[in-house]
Amino acid sequence: MSESSAGQWAWAEDPGRVMWCVTFTQGLTPEDALARYGADPRAARLLDYHHASSMYGESPQEEAVLRVGSLRSWSFCLEEESVTGALPATCSALSEGTETLSILRGGDGMNIFAHWRDKQCVERFDPGMPYTKPQPPRPWWDLLHDRLAAFPPQRSRLAPALEIVAAYIGAPLDSGTVDGPLLTARISAQRTHSPSHPHTTNLRPPGRRLPSPKPNPSAPVREGRALNSPYAPPQGANLGALVLRPDHVGRLDGDERAAGTVPTRLRRGGTILTSSPP
């Protein structure tokens, strides 16, 4: 990867930005995006990153600072120190009648990539984590899997996620855009829960299941998990299969289908992104 290309995503790999979330929605204006988040566009101000940072309060879990702009026919909304754009209710509202891509960098090490279409989640996973691999068809997983293989291991797994989104929508959300002036508004987050870790039904983390210890009735019950303890993601139901539309998928011949080696193709703006399943 060239130095100039790496500089595009410097904002996303900045260790000082420990938690952020960005959504991309087709066909919405920045003002429309703010309204679907529940903000009042009339109260928004045009602020750069430096001045917007002063809006963050001491309790970011109670409010979110939204910074919105446009990239071609897509709007984007970036927030830091909050995760409103990764919540199902938000993604459902944004994607009504269109499609939304959501990328979360969680402060606890959990990352989420999600694709929503018309209020339905069609693909959701933690990039690079095999136990969150969705059931097929999974075009975004396949594309990102191939891109991650070409990335240096010390790089953030979200930089290639931003790359494939940039190729899909036809423009990058680069550092110059993020740090420059964007329409900015603050809303009450009013979160009842944080995003859950993506589930899967076909893979589990490596290792074998050990017998569960018998509970001790006299022992006090502690909530949460100890610091530095290994994380075992929960098992859950499949999040749904993506239904590809004709304008998203290239033509496939019968031999490809019969052989079971059908490549994934995503078409957007005349560009076809291709990836063969791993």
Side-chain angles (χ1 to χ4, degrees):
M1 173 181 296
S2 67
E3 183 177 351
S4 60
S5 177
Q8 285 186 326
W9 320 120
W11 70 269
E13 298 184 284
D14 183 352
R17 287 169 157 157
V18 296
M19 182 169 67
W20 51 263
C21 182
V22 61
T23 60
F24 304 85
T25 304
Q26 187 184 32
L28 297 185
T29 66
E31 292 80 5
D32 290 337
L34 282 177
R36 293 199 182 192
Y37 269 85
D40 182 359
R42 297 170 298 179
R45 295 182 289 162
L46 195 63
L47 299 174
D48 61 18
Y49 172 70
H50 174 74
H51 290 91
S53 298
S54 64
M55 296 178 64
Y56 293 106
E58 296 181 356
S59 302
Q61 69 275 11
E62 297 178 359
E63 61 184 11
V65 176
L66 309 177
R67 306 182 65 226
V68 298
S70 59
L71 296 169
R72 296 205 171 202
S73 62
W74 295 67
S75 68
F76 67 85
C77 181
L78 175 66
E79 57 186 306
E80 299 188 41
E81 302 182 18
S82 57
V83 297
T84 312
L87 298 179
T90 304
C91 291
S92 176
L94 286 171
S95 67
E96 183 175 1
T98 182
E99 63 177 319
T100 295
L101 300 167
S102 172
I103 302 176
L104 167 70
R105 178 183 181 181
D108 59 355
M110 177 184 70
N111 302 317
I112 296 178
F113 184 101
H115 181 206
W116 286 69
R117 182 180 290 121
D118 199 13
K119 306 182 73 171
Q120 298 296 318
C121 181
V122 291
E123 197 169 348
R124 184 173 182 266
F125 55 87
D126 187 337
M129 295 299 175
Y131 52 82
T132 68
K133 183 176 181 179
Q135 297 283 1
R138 45 175 180 266
W140 290 102
W141 170 276
D142 294 337
L143 284 168
L144 189 50
H145 179 273
D146 289 350
R147 193 62 61 91
L148 281 169
F151 254 66
Q154 67 272 19
R155 295 288 304 278
S156 166
R157 298 193 305 273
L158 296 183
L162 290 167
E163 274 197 352
I164 64 174
V165 169
Y168 187 64
I169 69 178
L173 181 59
D174 55 24
S175 296
T177 302
V178 169
D179 294 337
L182 294 172
L183 202 59
T184 306
R186 180 163 49 195
I187 62 170
S188 174
Q190 296 182 342
R191 293 181 298 153
T192 57
H193 62 280
S194 297
S196 60
H197 202 283
H199 297 170
T200 184
T201 58
N202 59 335
L203 286 177
R204 293 183 179 180
R208 61 187 181 87
R209 186 183 300 275
L210 297 176
S212 301
K214 295 182 178 180
N216 182 355
S218 62
V221 177
R222 297 181 179 180
E223 296 184 352
R225 60 185 178 91
L227 293 176
N228 301 322
S229 62
Y231 173 70
Q235 300 299 314
N238 180 25
L239 292 171
L242 173 60
V243 178
L244 297 176
R245 293 178 176 177
D247 61 327
H248 291 164
V249 185
R251 266 185 133 28
L252 306 177
D253 59 40
D255 292 338
E256 284 180 314
R257 291 192 181 93
T261 58
V262 178
T264 298
R265 298 179 175 90
L266 290 173
R267 184 191 298 272
R268 173 62 57 198
T271 300
I272 299 179
L273 311 178
T274 304
S275 168
S276 297

